[in-house]
Amino acid sequence: AKTLLVEKTGVLGGQITSAGVNYPALFHAHGKQVIAGIGWDLVRATVDLAGEKLADFERDHGGKHWIHHIRVDMALFAALADECVLESGATLLFHTMLGAVERADDGWTVTLCGKEGLHDVTAKMLVDCTGDANAAQLAGCEVVRQDELQPGTIVAHGAGYRFEDLDMGAIESAAAAAIERGEVHIEDFGWSDPPARAWLGTYGGNRTHVCDIDAETSEGKTEAEIEGRRALMRLYRFFRAQPGLENFHFTCVAPECGIRETVTIRGRKTIALDDYTGGRLWDDAVCYSFYPIDLHLPHGIKGWALDEGIVPTIPRGAMLPEGVGGVIVAGRCISGDRLANSAYRVQATCMATGQAAGAMAALSAREGCDAERLPMAQIHDLLRRHGAIIPGELPD
């Protein structure tokens, strides 16, 4: 299918590259691979090019799921993504955002906002991979908003010290006093206890919680970026005042605050917590998903691992907005309740739903029908031809 890929930043990869969360997960469950296909091929190619080795996915590591995250080189990942998209024949347009979406005779007229101004393109199908249902909302799709949203995280890496040389007792005492005075916030350190030890012991990374933000809109995203950098400044000033941290500095700070949650679409099907934790095999399942329930709160995490043998699936209906045809949604904003969403929002599942969305869009454009009317066997066949793992076809 003739495809235009519109990206608001200057780099592909989403949260991997723009937010510095460069360890996608989870592609494996209970010792077996459950997500493959185009996204997996890109991750694997990045690891191979860097000369790295993958983990032993057959070991469960005592339920420590983060060991099965796959760390990728962000620069290599972005460059390989460029190559893959362009070699596919798609057109790639960076530094461009949506201005409007309107019904056309045979699909949609989309107004794009580029550096040179506004211009219109037409498309039979609209695929929303914004994470925030921005395109879907412009097309008239309904979304569900929660009263409270998970914190974001500004990914930053620290250096200039040796953790084993630090007097952590003294630093924790100083941190408690600084928190009491309001000079630093407990969520600046993250969600683990004791807070300073957790941040310094890992030399930062995916730690600092940015609370009370709603990144669905440009205004909200602006607030997230500002608050994220304010948090890092508080940490910087606190750390530099501590013995052994006089040379503390940040070696890398992600250009964007990582976002866990904004809205979900009101889909034709909704993934409930019991569907996810029970490993429901939907009759219109397009891919597997696997991750613990992982709801971040300002000062902690509410979550638990899935039972042995449970591998949830994602239904096509959760990717199709209710009442609006010609739109397919992939990624964290597909239809589901809050706790289910806290698990399926992660990157490997986003890659799997992205591939499924692309397959359905191509077939729908060719057949001239809504994605819900496509035979599942036809969707599965196209996914299978590009290396995806089809629900119900896991080896024993």
Side-chain angles (χ1 to χ4, degrees):
K2 186 178 180 181
T3 303
L4 171 64
L5 175 56
V6 178
E7 166 59 42
K8 67 174 180 139
T9 71
V11 61
L12 295 176
Q15 299 284 280
I16 291 176
T17 51
S18 293
V21 188
N22 60 322
Y23 29 90
L26 288 169
F27 296 91
H28 296 76
H30 314 300
K32 298 178 182 179
Q33 185 162 7
V34 297
I35 293 176
I38 295 169
W40 167 255
D41 290 344
L42 182 56
V43 168
R44 184 66 187 265
T46 306
V47 172
D48 289 346
L49 183 59
E52 303 290 343
K53 292 184 178 180
L54 295 171
D56 180 1
F57 296 112
E58 294 186 3
R59 294 183 58 196
D60 66 6
H61 298 283
K64 297 177 180 179
H65 66 275
W66 55 89
I67 295 177
H68 286 169
H69 286 240
I70 303 173
R71 191 165 296 275
V72 296
D73 183 299
M74 291 183 286
L76 296 180
F77 186 88
L80 289 173
D82 288 345
E83 290 180 3
C84 290
V85 170
L86 296 176
E87 287 173 0
S88 76
T91 300
L92 179 58
L93 194 56
F94 287 125
H95 302 294
T96 304
M97 295 186 73
L98 297 179
V101 176
E102 295 182 357
R103 277 288 184 189
D105 291 339
D106 191 25
W108 302 97
T109 297
V110 180
T111 300
L112 300 178
C113 180
K115 291 169 67 64
E116 67 284 1
L118 303 177
H119 65 280
D120 291 345
V121 297
T122 59
K124 290 183 178 180
M125 298 295 298
L126 185 66
V127 178
D128 186 325
C129 295
T130 64
D132 306 312
N134 296 137
Q137 290 186 73
L138 288 173
C141 305
E142 293 185 39
V143 296
V144 177
R145 295 179 175 86
Q146 302 293 333
D147 294 333
E148 180 186 19
L149 295 174
Q150 296 183 71
T153 288
I154 181 73
V155 173
H157 297 275
Y161 65 95
R162 279 169 40 96
F163 177 73
E164 55 269 31
D165 294 339
L166 299 177
D167 183 347
M168 286 309 307
I171 292 174
E172 290 293 355
S173 296
I179 291 169
E180 181 69 23
R181 294 191 299 269
E183 296 171 358
V184 66
H185 303 167
I186 190 170
E187 58 266 24
D188 297 344
F189 296 101
W191 57 87
S192 301
D193 189 45
R197 175 179 292 275
W199 204 103
L200 292 168
T202 58
Y203 293 82
N206 185 1
R207 283 284 172 189
T208 298
H209 266 169
V210 184
C211 303
D212 301 321
I213 56 170
D214 183 353
E216 177 191 351
T217 65
S218 290
E219 182 179 11
K221 195 73 164 68
T222 298
E223 182 181 0
E225 312 301 2
I226 292 170
E227 290 304 317
R229 288 189 280 270
R230 282 176 176 164
L232 293 186
M233 285 298 289
R234 288 192 293 266
L235 284 175
Y236 181 82
R237 291 180 174 124
F238 170 76
F239 286 148
R240 294 276 289 195
Q242 308 310 310
L245 293 173
E246 296 86 355
N247 295 317
F248 175 88
H249 59 277
F250 294 118
T251 58
C252 179
V253 175
E256 290 189 14
C257 179
I259 303 300
R260 293 183 174 88
E261 179 184 28
T262 54
V263 301
T264 55
I265 62 167
R266 192 176 299 281
R268 302 179 198 180
K269 291 184 178 179
T270 299
I271 306 167
L273 175 63
D274 289 347
D275 297 324
Y276 198 86
T277 58
R280 178 176 178 177
L281 179 58
W282 296 82
D283 58 4
D284 62 342
V286 294
C287 66
Y288 285 108
S289 175
F290 188 73
Y291 207 72
I293 303 304
D294 188 49
L295 187 71
H296 283 242
L297 304 170
H299 308 306
I301 295 176
K302 177 182 180 181
W304 61 89
L306 301 183
D307 290 341
E308 183 65 29
I310 293 294
V311 186
T313 63
I314 302 295
R316 166 178 60 182
M319 300 171 60
L320 303 181
E322 186 179 71
V324 180
V327 179
I328 304 173
V329 177
R332 70 174 178 237
C333 57
I334 65 174
S335 182
D337 68 25
R338 193 166 189 236
L339 283 171
N341 176 266
S342 76
Y344 69 66
R345 64 178 172 81
V346 297
Q347 292 167 346
T349 305
C350 289
M351 292 176 179
T353 58
Q355 181 168 345
M360 289 189 286
L363 292 170
S364 295
R366 187 184 72 187
E367 302 295 334
C369 69
D370 185 79
E372 193 170 34
R373 293 175 52 197
L374 294 169
M376 288 305 303
Q378 191 177 21
I379 297 170
H380 287 167
D381 180 61
L382 183 52
L383 290 172
R384 195 181 292 112
R385 281 161 47 195
H386 290 275
I389 295 172
I390 307 304
E393 296 185 0
L394 283 179
D396 294 333

